[in-house]
Amino acid sequence: MENGSSSGDNKSSPKPIRCKAAVCRKAGEPLVMEEIMVAPPQAYEVRIRIICTTLCHSDVTFWKLQVPPACFPRILGHEAIGIVESVGENVKEVVEGDTVLPTFMSDCGECVDCKSHKSNLCSKFPFKVSPWMPRYENSSRFTDLNGQTLFHFLNVSSFSEYTVLDVANVVKIDSSVPPSRACLLSCGVSTGVGAAWETAKVKQGPTVVIFGLGSIGLAVAEGARLCGASRIIGVDINPAKFQVGQKFGVTEFVNSLTCENKSVSEIMVINEMTGGGADYCFECVGSSFLVEEAYACCRKGWGKTITLGVDKPGSQICLNSSDVLHQGKILMGSLFGGLKAKTHIPLLLKRYLNKELELDKFVTLEMKFEDINDAFQLLVEGKCIRCVLWMS
């Protein structure tokens, strides 16, 4: 690995760095561990050395995807922790040596939305699955050793020993937090916990139903537990998920595979269990069909349905317009759990240090970065919640 700084001169301009990365060259094929070049950060950008990264189902979705916004070759990964190696011009909020979390959601702190408490959807850098840097269109900081451009992923690309991010996608954190736990808040756990805490604003005592007890669904359960939900009902096709879910606060379980005439019966079972519908329903799989089911299972008058799952491009939700008018329910999406990264991530880390937010139970395995393809297979097979990959 080549150092990006000139020896003896800390003020010298950053140089390109040669390092290892796991490159996705074809959809669904094993990632290729190879050496790449990482360019210096430009103005308003930060180059970081990744300490460890984890796998998220969004990585699997785009690893398999063969149609746009998929593009290859690409460096996936968006849940990680790192150390600032160098900064570009006009970067003031972090310096070399700071511990940071990269986030796919931008938080510029300047636009109307970032200044408002009502939204986490930055209007200066709107969320999109772009292969480029957010501030510089058609611009990548990655090339392979043949000079071919390697595309970015979700503003992060953490499956590389070094990566470059816009300063709007970097959160400075307390370096005392264990990296293998802090990195979980870079995406998945923040998304689930935030959906219950910030998007739905679950209060003390309500009933919550979670469709899909994967890592995001379990994080929703953890958030609902922290908010004081009295009942947390998990819905999944895998009965083994109930035992896992209980560790995160799930109190009851519905195995949708055992429901005859699945859709109608499942809705009836949940509405009967909850006395007319749940106060909050969360769809955590990425299925428009399940969004419709979740909406049917939330209580008329005040029920909220929150969708977090990533569905196939172009998928549509079909609701009866009379039901929408007459039943007074709320349906809303939630990106990154509605959290403002630079405001809320430090608060969640504080709750972890205070032993309120239980991050340890999300980590199933810790492995070497070189074993990333094995980790992908474990995630695809549902054998891990989060697998932490250490760079060294």
Side-chain angles (χ1 to χ4, degrees), residues 310-326:
V310 179
D311 206 344
K312 295 185 295 293
S315 298
Q316 295 185 342
I317 298 169
C318 298
L319 299 174
N320 185 297
S321 61
S322 295
D323 289 345
V324 173
L325 175 63
H326 298 158

Side-chain angles (χ1 to χ4, degrees), residues 106-116 119 121-123 340:
S106 299
D107 187 355
C108 76
E110 300 171 352
C111 69
V112 172
D113 294 278
C114 286
K115 289 181 177 179
S116 170
S119 171
L121 303 177
C122 178
S123 53
K340 291 181 181 293

Side-chain angles (χ1 to χ4, degrees), residues 1-4 16-23 32-39 47-50 75 141-145 150 157-164 369 391:
M1 185 191 308
E2 295 181 359
N3 197 317
I17 286 179
R18 180 169 172 167
C19 69
K20 287 189 298 184
V23 181
V32 181
M33 193 66 66
E34 59 186 87
E35 291 195 332
I36 66 165
M37 299 302 298
V38 182
R47 185 164 62 187
I48 69 173
R49 175 178 61 82
I50 298 293
I75 299 177
R141 301 292 169 265
F142 302 120
T143 55
D144 66 15
L145 297 188
L150 303 174
S157 292
S158 61
F159 294 167
S160 172
E161 291 179 316
Y162 286 82
T163 188
V164 178
F369 179 51
M391 290 296 172

Side-chain angles (χ1 to χ4, degrees), residues 48 116 123 130 136 176 248 253-254 273 316 318 324 337 384:
I48 69 173
S116 170
S123 53
S130 170
Y136 303 95
S176 68
F248 295 83
F253 184 76
V254 174
M273 289 175 68
Q316 295 185 342
C318 298
V324 173
C384 71

Side-chain angles (χ1 to χ4, degrees), residues 53-283:
T53 185
T54 65
L55 304 184
C56 175
H57 276 281
S58 296
D59 297 310
V60 174
T61 297
F62 282 89
W63 169 60
K64 293 180 176 179
L65 195 64
Q66 299 183 30
V67 298
C71 58
F72 306 95
R74 190 175 221 165
I75 299 177
L76 299 171
H78 62 287
E79 193 171 280
I81 184 173
I83 303 292
V84 175
E85 177 272 336
S86 57
V87 300
E89 295 179 3
N90 304 317
V91 173
K92 297 180 174 61
E93 59 187 87
V94 295
V95 298
E96 293 179 18
D98 281 345
T99 302
V100 294
L101 289 187
T103 61
F104 73 92
M105 286 292 288
S106 299
D107 187 355
C108 76
E110 300 171 352
C111 69
V112 172
D113 294 278
C114 286
K115 289 181 177 179
S116 170
H117 69 278
K118 299 178 182 180
S119 171
N120 71 333
L121 303 177
C122 178
S123 53
K124 186 173 183 179
F125 304 113
F127 173 76
K128 56 183 177 180
V129 186
S130 170
W132 311 114
M133 297 298 295
R135 205 178 294 254
Y136 303 95
E137 271 301 315
N138 302 316
S139 182
S140 171
R141 301 292 169 265
F142 302 120
T143 55
D144 66 15
L145 297 188
N146 294 318
Q148 181 183 19
T149 296
L150 303 174
F151 297 116
H152 289 255
F153 180 62
L154 292 181
N155 301 324
V156 178
S157 292
S158 61
F159 294 167
S160 172
E161 291 179 316
Y162 286 82
T163 188
V164 178
L165 301 96
D166 195 279
V167 70
N169 298 93
V170 171
V171 180
K172 181 179 177 180
I173 67 164
D174 182 349
S175 61
S176 68
V177 182
S180 61
R181 302 311 186 249
C183 68
L184 303 175
L185 296 179
S186 187
C187 177
V189 174
S190 290
T191 295
V193 171
W197 170 38
E198 185 64 20
T199 302
K201 299 188 185 302
V202 174
K203 303 299 182 184
Q204 190 79 23
T207 297
V208 169
V209 176
I210 303 168
F211 291 79
L213 292 180
S215 56
I216 298 298
L218 294 174
V220 171
E222 177 72 3
R225 180 190 69 79
L226 284 172
C227 292
S230 61
R231 298 175 70 191
I232 303 174
I233 302 170
V235 182
D236 205 286
I237 61 174
N238 182 357
K241 293 290 184 72
F242 182 39
Q243 185 175 0
V244 176
Q246 287 178 306
K247 300 176 183 178
F248 295 83
V250 175
T251 58
E252 297 152 81
F253 184 76
V254 174
N255 182 349
S256 53
L257 283 184
T258 63
C259 296
E260 296 181 9
N261 188 10
K262 179 180 177 300
S263 177
V264 175
S265 180
E266 185 172 275
I267 293 169
M268 291 177 61
V269 167
I270 293 172
N271 284 346
E272 184 176 335
M273 289 175 68
T274 57
D279 300 298
Y280 304 94
C281 288
F282 296 86
E283 191 283 323

